């Protein structure tokens, strides 16, 4: 089952907080909005600056959750993506 | 009786939550806005990215309900459609 | 006496709720905004997607009421029209 | 003394409610915004769809009152004019 | 000392209320926003529809007061000018 | 150390209130927003209608304060500048 | 690990307040929004007026914090950058 985002949206699979602490972004424990990260699974045809496979960083409360074939995802507007993380 | 949406709107027949749990999207039970899904019945002439028959995903409180010939539908603005679900 | 709407507005004669229950749209009894329907009597020269005689569906609280020659009408912005009902 | 409206505004002389009840629009007594009517006295050079002498219908609380040479008028933005009444 | 307004603004010298009552606009004593009038002293280079010397009418709370060489003025955005009063 | 404003902003050195009372603008002591004045020190490359050295007038609460090499300045958006004061 | 900002955003490494007090901008201790400064680490491809290495000044509460490889950064929209500090 494939989810094709509409508008300026991408489908993202959130990376676990535990993983990020070990190797990459560490979310500081304070009152500010804490960014999260995830892998882009699919993008709308209207999206140009992000591609499938990109690891994106976004605000903790960005997007809407949905579950496809038992897996959890986020649908996020590209304006809510802070940037792409490259190794 | 045919309903022709105006503006950037589509007419959608909501899929039952029970059906979705079995085969497709499972709505997680938490406090975030829970997406729903439905089948597009008709689209406005101003709509380009969605077609009749598409299974669309949208926020639980998106759109306005109306009943035609005894059946319930939703009229939804395309900006409120998160994406299309393809099998 | 003729009323010529200005801006993106149409003049609509509301169809009675009793009539609609029998033959067409049935307004469900719940807390969501309940659409109404009516017949377009005249349109502004700025309106392109709706014509005189169209049966339009709109939110229950859309438009402004006015009475011409003793009959009640609604002046509605076309953005507030959900769609056209065709038999 | 002449008042030349600026922006998308017109100067309107309000018709008395009593007059309107007899011959034309009757304002229903309910909680919704009640339209009023008046005669256009002068228009801004930026106004295209309304002319001097037109009888216009507008919301009861539209515009700003001002008095010129002892007579009361309303300065109304054309977006707040619902339409033109023709006999 | 000369004040050259910036943006779509004009410098206005307010006419006294007492003067206006005698010869021109009379501000009615009610709860609605009461227009005031004044003479345009200087205009921004971005202003096209108002000129120095025009007597303009505006809302009582429009603009910002400032004093130049001991005289009080108002700096008003042209969108807040209702019209020009001509004798 | 040089501060180059970004966007439609200018760097302003505020003139003391005492000075202004003596020779130029006097800020009236009332409840309305009280304009202040200052000298433009540097402008963004996006700014066209104000130049270095101009004495500008602005609302008392406009801009953001910052200190460079021990001197206090304001960074102000040009939309918040009411005008230029010329002698 | 590289962070490529998206939209009109830049990645900034905040300069310590202690450093700034000694050599450059001193943040006054009052109730107004206090600007901070930092070095631009990377910029989005959509950003034109700021470059990597620029020392930028911004509001104390601008941007979102994130940590990459154990270092703290801010992702800031360029509209929230007041200017560039040059020595």
């Amino acid at each position: 089952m494939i989810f094709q985002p509409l508008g300026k949206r991408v489908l993202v699979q959130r990376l676990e907080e535990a993983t990020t602490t070990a190797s990459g972004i560490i979310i500081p424990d304070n009152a500010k909005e804490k960014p999260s990260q995830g892998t882009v699974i699919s993008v709308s045809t209207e999206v140009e600056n992000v591609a499938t496979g990109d690891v994106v960083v976004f605000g903790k409360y960005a997007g809407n959750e949905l579950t496809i074939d038992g897996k959890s995802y986020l649908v996020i507007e590209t304006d809510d993506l802070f940037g792409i993380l490259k190794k």
Side-chain angles (χ1 to χ4, degrees), chain A:
Chain A
M1 198 171 250
I2 295 168
F3 180 82
Q4 172 68 37
L6 288 170
K8 290 192 171 297
R9 293 185 179 93
V10 298
L11 186 73
V12 170
Q13 191 166 21
R14 192 192 290 269
L15 293 180
E16 292 303 315
E17 299 290 333
T19 309
T20 63
T21 308
S23 66
I25 288 183
I26 299 162
I27 311 302
D29 191 348
N30 63 10
K32 292 201 68 172
E33 184 189 355
K34 301 172 186 172
S36 297
Q37 60 182 302
T39 305
V40 176
I41 303 300
S42 62
V43 304
S44 162
T45 57
E46 295 181 32
V47 170
E48 291 177 350
N49 54 355
V50 183
T52 300
D54 283 350
V55 175
V56 288
V57 180
F58 46 88
K60 193 151 196 162
Y61 303 108
N64 289 83
E65 293 186 12
L66 78 169
T67 306
I68 304 172
D69 295 338
K71 286 184 185 167
S72 281
Y73 299 91
L74 281 172
V75 194
I76 308 182
E77 310 229 356
T78 54
D79 276 355
D80 293 336
L81 298 177
F82 294 155
I84 300 173
L85 206 58
K86 298 174 178 173
K87 294 185 181 180

